[in-house]
Amino acid sequence: MQNTAEDISNAAKGHKANLSNPNTSEASKAHSKEVLDSMPDQPFYGKEDQNASKNPNQVAGGLKATLNNDSIPESGKQKAQEKLDDM
């Protein structure tokens, strides 16, 4: 296995899935927890500031769409409104 960012991320996903799987042994879960605890707490790949590459007009449009979507709970609409106000 290579140690690319994607490989590390995939390994973390597998260990996280193992922890929540009721069909795996306690020894296996303990091993997965040890591996996850030894991994860094930072993201494995992606830009450090992902918001820097986002188009502000598209972000605003998405937030406005959230405000008008009836299937979004009121708490989600409030968060969208707060983000929109901060722009």
Side-chain angles (χ1 to χ4, degrees):
M1 176 175 163
Q2 303 226 1
N3 281 334
T4 65
E6 187 174 6
D7 292 333
I8 296 169
S9 181
N10 287 338
K13 289 177 190 176
H15 286 293
K16 287 179 182 180
N18 185 42
L19 291 176
S20 63
N21 185 342
N23 298 321
T24 57
S25 68
E26 288 303 315
S28 175
K29 289 181 181 186
H31 172 71
S32 288
K33 182 158 179 23
E34 287 176 23
V35 171
L36 287 171
D37 288 343
S38 70
M39 289 183 163
D41 289 336
Q42 55 193 337
F44 299 113
Y45 58 89
K47 298 177 184 171
E48 287 185 22
D49 186 11
Q50 293 181 348
N51 291 331
S53 64
K54 293 184 179 179
N55 182 329
N57 292 330
Q58 290 177 334
V59 172
L63 293 170
K64 288 177 184 177
T66 299
L67 296 175
N68 295 315
N69 188 336
D70 293 335
S71 66
I72 303 293
E74 196 59 38
S75 61
K77 290 182 180 183
Q78 288 175 348
K79 288 180 184 178
Q81 184 63 55
E82 289 171 6
K83 288 182 180 181
L84 196 56
D85 292 341
D86 290 342
M87 292 183 77

